Amino acid sequence: MRADERSLGIMTRCQGSHFVDKGYYKKLTLYGRKHGMRVFVFSPRQVNFSSRTVRGFEYRNGSWQPNTFPLPALIYDRCFVGPSYRHYKPFVEKLQNDRNITFLGHGLSGKWQVHQMLTQSPQLASLLPPTEILSLATVNDMLQQYGAVVIKPMAGTHGIGVVRIKETKSGYEATGRNRENQPFRRLIRDSAGLKTFIASFTSGRKFLVQPYLKLHTPDGTPFDVRVLVQKNGQGDWETTGKAVRLGDKRSITSNLHGGGKAQPLSAFLSRHFKPAVHSKIETTINQVAEKLPRFLEECHGRLVELGIDVGIDTSGNVWIIEVNSRPGRTVFRLIDDPIAKRHSITQPVRYAHYLMKERVGGY
């Protein structure tokens, strides 16, 4: 097997030598090297398709060193979608269409598209909150029906731009996080003010609207459950870990980037729910972890890992809040789960090994 056929390129956004998740990529590199695989980080904008090479960075001798690499046989897509993704998209698509390159998985396109796919599943559709594309009419309709709604950007991450709007005696109250991920609360006098607020806050970006679900503890602490599922070294889906993320009481979201904390799932559920409800919640979450990845892959195409965010309301009902194809792993370090932490790092390399063997019929 040629050297480039034993290579794994981590595709991400690089500004020179600056890129996020360096600690994670360092661990992937060292684990891959132990198993005869060369791992490096690159930006899709640095690919030279004529020479089939790419400028990137490899962790060696204690630091990230620049180099020019042959295009890798396998690509691990960590190119997070956001407002500037349009600058990367043409290069990503050209790599995806290259017959000599295999992507470990293809990134999900957005919250609305994922929601539309999951509504087709008989087992999962009932766990999805009612969801619509945001307009003043859909906000007003849901406010009339539920009294409070949540608006969220279609392509947002880390809880940024998620806002609860609820009716009050004197008008409306908007609570959430702005574009700088800072918490805010605003009182709005009337429907004309609400229209102005929504137009200004969304500012041309596409948003979704859902009923506000009471996803908090009895003392008002928002929380959700992060479930990490990944492909293993046999090409099968496996649950790596589950953990609760708790947010600030001033916030409506529990994302760790907003100052949240983490706890093990079972201990948390036993504190806040009766045994029968606790058992039912865990059973439902396990069913979601088993069924969702396979169903989504059938609709979407190959995936390598998913972060499934599950909400549990005050009545013990389980809701699928969000599915992320480029999930973070911080939560398992915070709850001191060494097995989940280790697997979260090693599984992508194991799956890459599996795909390499599939490509060449064994070493």
Side-chain angles (χ1 to χ4, degrees):
M1 188 188 292
R2 297 194 318 269
D4 60 309
E5 292 180 325
R6 294 195 303 273
S7 62
L8 172 64
I10 302 170
M11 184 174 69
T12 189
R13 299 190 200 183
C14 302
Q15 297 294 332
S17 62
H18 300 288
F19 48 91
V20 299
D21 288 338
K22 281 187 174 179
Y24 172 45
Y25 301 153
K26 170 186 169 182
K27 291 169 186 170
L28 280 177
T29 301
L30 297 176
Y31 186 75
R33 194 172 293 154
K34 280 183 185 175
H35 294 80
M37 188 184 303
R38 189 179 195 184
V39 182
F40 61 89
V41 176
F42 74 98
S43 163
R45 298 187 65 171
Q46 294 298 312
V47 174
N48 184 325
F49 288 96
S50 299
S51 64
R52 297 193 63 78
T53 60
V54 59
R55 290 285 297 166
F57 299 89
E58 185 175 26
Y59 189 82
R60 284 199 173 276
N61 303 319
S63 65
W64 288 98
Q65 300 180 12
N67 202 348
T68 299
F69 306 90
L71 280 181
L74 298 169
I75 289 179
Y76 181 27
D77 182 359
R78 296 286 292 176
C79 227
F80 293 92
V81 176
S84 62
Y85 185 69
R86 66 185 185 278
H87 300 303
Y88 295 80
K89 190 176 179 182
F91 305 98
V92 173
E93 288 179 344
K94 194 166 182 178
L95 288 167
Q96 288 174 335
N97 292 325
D98 192 309
R99 289 183 301 175
N100 295 312
I101 295 173
T102 300
F103 276 60
L104 302 193
H106 296 291
L108 295 171
S109 46
K111 294 184 180 73
W112 176 246
Q113 290 83 354
V114 172
H115 179 272
Q116 292 297 90
M117 284 185 260
L118 293 179
T119 56
Q120 306 304 308
S121 164
Q123 292 91 1
L124 302 171
S126 62
L127 304 179
L128 298 169
T131 304
E132 300 289 345
I133 294 173
L134 182 142
S135 68
L136 191 63
T138 54
V139 170
N140 284 328
D141 287 347
M142 282 201 187
L143 279 172
Q144 201 168 26
Q145 189 172 354
Y146 301 104
V149 302
V150 166
I151 64 171
K152 57 175 72 172
M154 280 194 193
T157 57
H158 307 326
I160 298 170
V162 179
V163 178
R164 178 186 66 201
I165 299 170
K166 69 176 183 180
E167 293 181 312
T168 65
K169 290 180 181 178
S170 55
Y172 305 92
E173 178 192 82
T175 308
R177 290 187 174 272
N178 60 22
R179 291 191 186 196
E180 289 72 47
N181 207 15
Q182 298 300 313
F184 74 90
R185 177 174 173 267
R186 187 172 303 174
L187 299 177
I188 301 166
R189 188 175 296 176
D190 52 28
S191 55
L194 180 63
K195 180 180 179 180
T196 302
F197 168 78
I198 290 173
S200 170
F201 189 82
T202 58
S203 186
R205 293 182 301 161
K206 293 182 178 179
F207 272 64
L208 299 177
V209 58
Q210 299 173 329
Y212 171 67
L213 303 171
K214 294 178 180 178
L215 308 178
H216 57 73
T217 61
D219 71 353
T221 302
F223 75 92
D224 68 5
V225 180
R226 163 55 63 94
V227 183
L228 179 62
V229 291
Q230 297 175 292
K231 293 273 189 71
N232 61 21
Q234 288 75 48
D236 300 321
W237 284 104
E238 205 172 273
T239 299
T240 295
K242 294 172 281 191
V244 175
R245 302 181 298 188
L246 297 108
D248 189 311
K249 287 185 185 179
R250 298 172 299 163
S251 177
I252 63 163
T253 61
S254 54
N255 201 283
L256 299 177
H257 286 77
K261 299 176 182 176
Q263 293 182 10
L265 176 62
S266 279
F268 175 86
L269 292 177
S270 65
R271 277 197 302 277
H272 294 287
F273 296 95
K274 292 178 180 177
V277 179
H278 173 173
S279 176
K280 184 182 174 186
I281 291 169
E282 288 228 61
T283 298
T284 305
I285 290 174
N286 289 340
Q287 289 171 345
V288 169
E290 182 186 346
K291 296 179 188 304
L292 186 147
R294 293 169 177 82
F295 182 83
L296 208 50
E297 200 167 38
E298 286 176 14
C299 301
H300 168 80
R302 179 186 285 146
L303 295 159
V304 57
E305 58 188 355
L306 294 170
I308 306 169
D309 294 340
V310 173
I312 304 166
D313 67 26
T314 49
S315 300
N317 299 307
V318 172
W319 300 93
I320 299 169
I321 302 300
E322 198 169 313
V323 184
N324 188 337
S325 55
R326 300 174 181 90
R329 290 149 172 77
T330 308
V331 67
F332 303 111
R333 175 172 54 79
L334 293 177
I335 64 168
D336 193 26
D337 185 338
I339 295 174
K341 181 184 169 188
R342 185 172 68 251
H343 280 194
S344 73
I345 295 162
T346 58
Q347 291 287 45
V349 174
R350 290 175 181 158
Y351 181 55
H353 258 290
Y354 165 79
L355 289 178
M356 283 181 185
K357 288 185 281 187
E358 290 285 297
R359 282 168 65 103
V360 298
Y363 288 108

